[in-house]
Amino acid sequence: MKPNLSTLTIVHYALTLGPLVCLGVFYFLRSSGSSAQTDPEVTQLLTYMAIGMTVMALAVSSVLPAAILKPAREETRSLGPEERFATLFPKYYSAKIIQWAVLEGAAIFCGVVYLMGGPELLLGAGVLLVLYLAMQRPGQSDYEARTGA
């Protein structure tokens, strides 16, 4: 059975464009001089947190879908194609949305810290996360690879 990925694709586009627009607005605000300057020690701490969050988001988003789908794949081995699809597709749907939300949250956090006076490196990290998020687009081949269907 072939999954209908159109709704999931729309969700993916929305979750990708959201942080991209935020980063653009944050860049514009900071370049126009209207950013919120905070204590340098706080900004430095938040910068380290944002870098750590970027690394963790990349790692978690790579591992999480497999961790969610592997038990479901093993449970459904003995089922027929329709029952298997009915069980696996909602799990795939959820795994992808969670994966994207992790990346989106980290990208927006990087943008907020950049807006608060953090280094330009954080804007780059946010863009990197958005690009990685954009590459995680749902598709028939991705569904088959992750679910074994």
Side-chain angles (χ1 to χ4, degrees):
M1 184 169 252
K2 185 176 178 184
N4 183 0
L5 298 170
S6 59
T7 304
L8 194 58
T9 302
I10 292 170
V11 171
H12 176 256
Y13 286 144
L15 288 173
T16 302
L17 289 176
L20 190 62
V21 169
C22 281
L23 291 172
V25 168
F26 294 159
Y27 176 76
F28 173 75
L29 287 173
R30 174 120 174 234
S31 65
S32 68
S34 59
S35 67
Q37 296 295 325
T38 59
D39 182 21
E41 291 178 3
V42 172
T43 303
Q44 186 176 17
L45 175 65
L46 290 173
T47 298
Y48 292 139
M49 289 174 60
I51 292 169
M53 195 172 188
T54 299
V55 171
M56 290 301 295
L58 289 170
V60 167
S61 70
S62 297
V63 173
L64 192 66
I68 291 172
L69 291 168
K70 186 178 180 182
R73 255 194 338 249
E74 292 172 4
E75 288 174 11
T76 59
R77 285 194 196 277
S78 62
L79 299 177
E82 290 183 18
E83 295 89 10
R84 186 173 176 155
F85 175 78
T87 303
L88 287 176
F89 188 65
K91 300 245 188 229
Y92 174 78
Y93 204 93
S94 298
K96 293 303 279 185
I97 289 176
I98 293 168
Q99 177 189 36
W100 301 332
V102 166
L103 293 167
E104 179 193 37
I108 291 174
F109 184 73
C110 285
V112 168
V113 176
Y114 167 75
L115 181 64
M116 293 173 63
E120 286 78 18
L121 167 76
L122 294 180
L123 188 64
V127 170
L128 171 78
L129 288 165
V130 171
L131 289 175
Y132 185 68
L133 171 59
M135 292 183 343
Q136 301 305 311
R137 187 170 180 263
Q140 179 71 28
S141 60
D142 182 56
Y143 172 77
E144 290 171 358
R146 292 192 185 273
T147 62

